[in-house]
Each structure stands twice: as C-alpha cells, then as structure tokens.
C-alpha cells in the first residue's frame, strides 16, 4: 500500500448518537465537538518504506477502533498522515505543518532515530505531544516525547546470551551506519563480553548499501561462531539473500536486532530466513486474546496485506496509550495528557500488558525471543514486564522534568 505525500485518512464509525457538544472552545480554536486530530509522519516510500507501510495500517486500525467505540470525549478522531519518503527535509517540513497548520493534538511519527531527532525539537518548540513507536537504541529523555518500542536492554540483552550459549563465543557484528546501528553495536559488544565472548570485528554500512560480497568475505576469513546484525531497511535485506547465496546459512548462524520488523519472512525465501534468531516486544504468534482480536481485525481490514510486526503493534499500542490517557485526563490538553501517562498508565495490547514508565517515558513490556521457522516466528522464551533499564540509567523525568535530549548511553565494557 502506498499513499501520497499527503493523504487524509478517515475511517471508523460515526460518533455515538446523541453526543452533545460541550460549551467551550478547543485549544485549536475550533468548537469542542470538532474532531480530535492525530498526526502521522511515516516513510511510506524510499529505503524505509516497507516499515512505514506496515505501520500506517495499524495507525488506521487504531483510529478506526477508537471511532467505532464512540470516539474520545464524545468526539471523532481524525487522522492526518504525510508520506515523508525517507527524506529528512520532508520530515521537518511536514512536522511544522502538523503543528502549525493542521494543529493536531498528538503526533505518532518517525521510524529511524535520525527522523525522530529531526522532528522531536519541532514538536517540543510548538508544544505538540509526540509518540515515537519504533524499536530503537534508547536514551531519549524528553517530557514531551513518549517511546513505545523496545530498547537494547529489552531485546539485545536476550539475543546475545542465547547466541553465546547455543552457538559459540566469537561474534562478528554488522550494523547500519547511523546512530541506531552504532549504539546498538556497542550494546551487542557489551552483552557479548558479559557472556564471556569476544568480537572479531564490527562493520558499518550506510542505508543505501546493497552489495555485501566483500563483507561476507571478511566474515568468512574471520571465522566467527555467530553474526550479530543490526542492519536496517529494504536495502540491507540484501545481506541475508547474499549470505544464503554464499552457502553460509548452515555454517555461521545469524541473530538480529532488526530482521523481521518489515516482514522479511514474507518477502524473502524460506531458505534465506530459516533459523535467524531475533528478540522483540511483539510477534504475531503471541498467544493472548488481545492479539487474536488484533490479528483478526487486521486481516479483516487489509486482507493479505495485513503485515504485523513490533513496529505495527507498538504503533497501535502508542495510539491506544494516548487514547487511554485522554480518557483519564478528560481532556486533550497536552499537559493533562502527559500527567495521565505519567500515572504509570497501562493498557492490554496485542503484545500483552504495556505500562508507561513515568521516569523514562518508555514502556515496560514483555520481551520475546524467537526463531524463524517455516515462514513464522517460533517463540522460544518470554521475559515478562521487561523494563527499559538502559534509558533508566540516564533518564529520570520525575526528578528532572525539564530534561530534553537524547543521551548516548555510556556502554560500560
């Protein structure tokens, strides 16, 4: 599914019959029964487009679900979405448009950390509440920003010990050459060393790299027991195809902190994906009533195009956390919603219980370790209520609510 640069998405049922407009004026100058506006900025095209296409579907579903239940505060929720096309200039342009022209009440936006850091200051400046729903490297500490995806303390800390125990102690790291890959590689190194292992080498690759033949030769020469991957985006999928084509699949196993987030199990051959190990806050195979309902709703809404991963589920949960906070606050006013979120608000989402940590504005959530098998993820371990310990080491918005930065966590090795 590919949307245009600006597509206004309207879905879901009308307001409950008989809803009465409250006699006051909303913050954007419209009557209080005017729609509540949710803004979305996602890459629906470009190198990160596969991820954005899966996320926008759960954005649509969440808005539909909220409206089908009568909306929020007796008002319909309206979605305004822009395709940022994997372009930082469009991110900043559309962020300003959402805040100043569209006057949205909340923005759910960004995929890469670079995109987040391009728009986060804009939403801070214009006092527009912001949710970042992507698995990332951790460290963001900003009272106006809420992060629902997993961080390395919730995922990489599960992948590496499994690899060290089952495959061997010598690892080779390949990662995307921007802050996510650079910082995640440090966490991979830390957890490898804590498990008594060593790193043969670390290689970084820009997002536009598609040819990994020389990298594969270097790995073969280094002879590691396992490859740890933090490669990102559609172009980097080429590594896994070329790895299998080089007949390396049965020789050196691969564990990844990113693989599968863009539904590579559907787009790649089974021979390419079989046996890869990952850890996320959500898999389609999570066995909860909420996930069953979520999957059925996605299938009904999108049919065979219903692509579900942590990116999509965390986005859905981000919108539902915001909606729960609006209900608790009885208002869409930014600070009232922030205070409601900071009450350790919890929802039951597709991934299980998701709780907003007041000190970090990150989620406490289940983490799962899984292996690709027969085009599905077999969950091999579950870690309930995993906290964002990496970000908690540097961020305490209760003690220092005016903090506004991304800390580069000092990974002790």
């Amino acid at each position: 599914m590919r949307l245009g640069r600006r597509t206004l998405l309207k879905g879901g049922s009308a307001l409950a019959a008989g809803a009465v407009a409250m006699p006051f004026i909303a913050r954007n100058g419209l009557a209080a029964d005017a729609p509540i506006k949710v803004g979305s900025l996602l890459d629906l095209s470009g190198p990160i487009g596969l991820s954005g296409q899966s996320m926008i579907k759960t954005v649509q579903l969440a808005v539909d679900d909220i409206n089908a239940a009568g909306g929020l505060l007796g008002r319909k929720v309206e979605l305004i979405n822009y395709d940022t096309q994997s372009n930082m200039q469009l991110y900043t342009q559309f962020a300003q448009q959402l805040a100043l022209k569209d006057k949205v009440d909340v923005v759910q936006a960004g995929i890469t950390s670079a995109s987040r850091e391009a728009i986060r200051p804009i939403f801070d400046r214009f006092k527009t509440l912001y949710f970042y729903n992507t698995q990332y490297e951790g460290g963001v500490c900003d009272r106006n920003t809420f992060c629902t995806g997993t961080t390395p303390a919730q995922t990489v800390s599960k992948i590496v010990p499994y690899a060290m125990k089952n495959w061997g102690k010598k690892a080779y790291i390949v990662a995307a050459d921007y802050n996510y890959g650079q910082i995640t590689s440090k966490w991979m190194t830390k957890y490898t060393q804590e498990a008594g292992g060593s790193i043969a080498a670390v290689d970084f690759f820009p997002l536009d790299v598609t040819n990994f033949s020389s990298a594969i030769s270097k790995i073969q020469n280094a002879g590691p027991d396992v490859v740890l991957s933090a490669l990102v985006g559609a172009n980097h999928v080429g590594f896994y195809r070329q790895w299998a084509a080089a007949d390396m699949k049965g020789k050196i196993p691969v564990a990844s902190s990113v693989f599968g987030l863009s539904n590579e199990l559907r787009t790649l051959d089974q021979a390419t994906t079989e046996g890869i190990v990952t850890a996320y806050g959500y898999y389609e195979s999570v066995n909860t009533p909420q996930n069953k309902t979520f999957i059925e709703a996605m299938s009904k809404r999108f049919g065979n195009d219903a692509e579900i991963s942590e990116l999509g589920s965390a986005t859905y949960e981000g919108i539902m956390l915001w909606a729960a906070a609006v209900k608790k606050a009885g208002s869409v006013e930014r600070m009232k919603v922030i205070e409601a979120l900071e009450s350790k608000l919890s929802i039951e989402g597709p991934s299980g219980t998701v709780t907003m940590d007041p000190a970090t504005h990150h989620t406490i959530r289940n983490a799962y370790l899984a292996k690709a098998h027969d085009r599905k993820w077999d969950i091999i371990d579950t870690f309930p209520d995993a906290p964002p310990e990496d970000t908690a080491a540097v961020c305490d918005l209760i003690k220092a609510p005016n903090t506004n930065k991304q800390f580069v966590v000092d990974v002790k090795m």
Side-chain angles (χ1 to χ4, degrees), residues 6 25 51 102 106 116 131 154 188 198 232 294 300 309 348 355:
R6 184 186 191 277
I25 302 300
S51 298
D102 299 315
V106 65
R116 181 198 64 242
F131 276 71
Q154 295 165 312
M188 288 176 168
S198 63
V232 174
F294 176 67
K300 182 177 180 181
S309 68
E348 292 299 319
T355 303

Side-chain angles (χ1 to χ4, degrees), residues 345-366:
L345 191 69
S346 289
I347 63 166
E348 292 299 319
S351 67
T353 302
V354 181
T355 303
M356 186 57 65
D357 175 38
T360 65
H361 286 195
H362 287 57
T363 53
I364 301 167
R365 55 164 59 249
N366 295 342

Side-chain angles (χ1 to χ4, degrees), residues 10-21:
K10 297 182 179 180
S13 60
L15 294 174
V20 179

Side-chain angles (χ1 to χ4, degrees), residues 151-219:
T151 65
Q154 295 165 312
T155 56
V156 178
S157 66
K158 320 305 181 194
I159 295 170
V160 174
Y162 176 89
M164 297 291 105
K165 179 180 178 181
N166 291 278
W167 295 331
K169 300 290 188 179
K170 184 179 179 181
Y172 195 111
I173 297 173
V174 290
D177 193 13
Y178 72 104
N179 52 355
Y180 171 75
Q182 292 159 1
I183 296 173
T184 300
S185 71
K186 292 182 179 180
W187 286 108
M188 288 176 168
T189 301
K190 169 186 169 64
Y191 293 127
T192 296
Q193 293 178 348
E194 287 182 353
S198 63
I199 301 298
V202 181
D203 279 350
F204 295 106
F205 302 90
L207 290 176
D208 60 356
V209 169
T210 58
N211 189 330
F212 293 90
S213 57
S214 63
I216 291 172
S217 294
K218 289 171 65 177
I219 296 170

